[in-house]
């Protein structure tokens, strides 16, 4: 699993709840990276994430940057 999260308390909270629960159930997080609120270009992050070949992506965010990230994924 890959985790992309907004770099604030909300995103860190999502990361800190999801990751240990997922790993406790036997999952493996192969990539985790934050993004800044208001970011518009995620190509570099997506390329780094894809190089790890995750089976899924968990995104923690909100606002316009969240929508743009989902669209670019």
């Amino acid at each position: 699993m890959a985790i992309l999260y907004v770099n604030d308390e909300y995103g860190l909270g999502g990361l800190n709840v999801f990751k240990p629960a997922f790993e406790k159930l036997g999952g493996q997080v192969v990539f985790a990276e934050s993004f800044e609120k208001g970011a518009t270009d995620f190509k570099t992050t997506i390329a780094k994430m894809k190089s790890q070949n995750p089976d899924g992506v968990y995104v923690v965010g909100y606002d316009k940057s969240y929508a743009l990230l989902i669209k670019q994924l």
Side-chain angles (χ1 to χ4, degrees), residues 8-31:
D8 65 10
E9 288 183 26
Y10 178 77
L12 287 170
L15 171 70
N16 292 331
V17 170
F18 178 80
K19 187 175 186 262
F22 184 71
E23 290 173 339
K24 183 177 180 181
L25 293 171
Q28 180 182 9
V29 175
V30 296
F31 183 83

Side-chain angles (χ1 to χ4, degrees), residues 1-57:
M1 180 69 68
I3 305 172
L4 303 174
Y5 59 98
V6 65
N7 188 19
D8 65 10
E9 288 183 26
Y10 178 77
L12 287 170
L15 171 70
N16 292 331
V17 170
F18 178 80
K19 187 175 186 262
F22 184 71
E23 290 173 339
K24 183 177 180 181
L25 293 171
Q28 180 182 9
V29 175
V30 296
F31 183 83
E33 186 166 304
S34 67
F35 59 90
E36 296 301 320
K37 181 179 176 186
T40 59
D41 184 3
F42 301 96
K43 291 180 187 117
T44 303
T45 300
I46 292 170
K48 287 192 295 186
M49 178 198 69
K50 287 175 79 173
S51 74
Q52 299 301 310
N53 197 29
D55 289 334
V57 182

